[in-house]
Amino acid sequence: MKLLYYATSIEGAGERLQKIIEALIPEEKREVYRTIGHLSHRLRQPMINHSVVVLLAATREDLSDILSIRDLFGDLRLIVILPDHESKTIAIGHSLRPRFLSTIDSDFSEVAAVLDKIFERERQD
């Protein structure tokens, strides 16, 4: 199983979330993408069926970029971090059909718990 992490910035929330991911997921099982183009290219490559994609949309522009490639997500497990709590933004986030949805102002403890649960089975094997 692989984890693909997309965030355009390594500052602020992007850095906080990346540290959580690094603490939970071994380096060989994670990939980090900073541009939608690079993520899009990767999603067009053969994927392990059980991959997880964590998408951090720090801005509405980031969310718009993510929406532009939503057809590439297929049956991948998505965790989406939204830029705000506005009802329109939340509706857009839900349209991606994520396994888990959060916002950028969270402490990401729930994201960590979801990732831990997803990868728990693999650690037991």
Side-chain angles (χ1 to χ4, degrees):
M1 183 179 307
K2 282 276 192 177
L3 180 133
L4 283 62
Y5 172 54
Y6 169 75
T8 58
S9 174
I10 57 170
E11 298 176 3
E15 181 180 22
R16 284 188 298 120
L17 184 53
Q18 185 164 338
K19 285 181 181 181
I20 289 169
I21 289 169
E22 289 172 353
L24 290 171
I25 312 300
E27 184 175 358
E28 66 274 3
K29 295 190 182 270
R30 65 180 189 261
E31 301 172 13
V32 177
Y33 297 93
R34 298 285 178 221
T35 69
I36 204 70
H38 287 130
L39 177 63
S40 175
H41 181 266
R42 175 62 177 100
L43 291 172
R44 287 183 171 91
Q45 305 303 312
M47 296 280 276
I48 299 169
N49 290 340
H50 301 291
S51 293
V52 177
V53 181
V54 177
L55 303 165
L56 186 136
T59 65
R60 288 194 176 185
E61 183 179 331
D62 288 346
L63 186 56
S64 178
D65 288 344
I66 290 167
L67 281 174
S68 73
I69 64 165
R70 71 177 151 214
D71 294 340
L72 299 176
F73 297 131
D75 291 330
L76 296 171
R77 297 177 195 180
L78 297 180
I79 295 174
V80 178
I81 314 299
L82 299 172
D84 58 59
H85 294 272
E86 292 188 24
S87 58
K88 183 177 179 181
T89 304
I90 292 170
I92 292 169
H94 280 294
S95 75
L96 294 167
R97 299 178 40 221
R99 296 285 175 108
F100 186 75
L101 192 65
S102 186
T103 56
I104 199 164
D105 61 352
S106 77
D107 66 0
F108 301 131
S109 60
E110 291 177 332
V111 173
V114 170
L115 286 173
D116 192 44
K117 186 71 172 172
I118 290 171
F119 282 86
E120 180 180 344
R121 183 175 300 150
E122 185 169 305
R123 286 192 298 267
Q124 293 173 352
D125 292 339

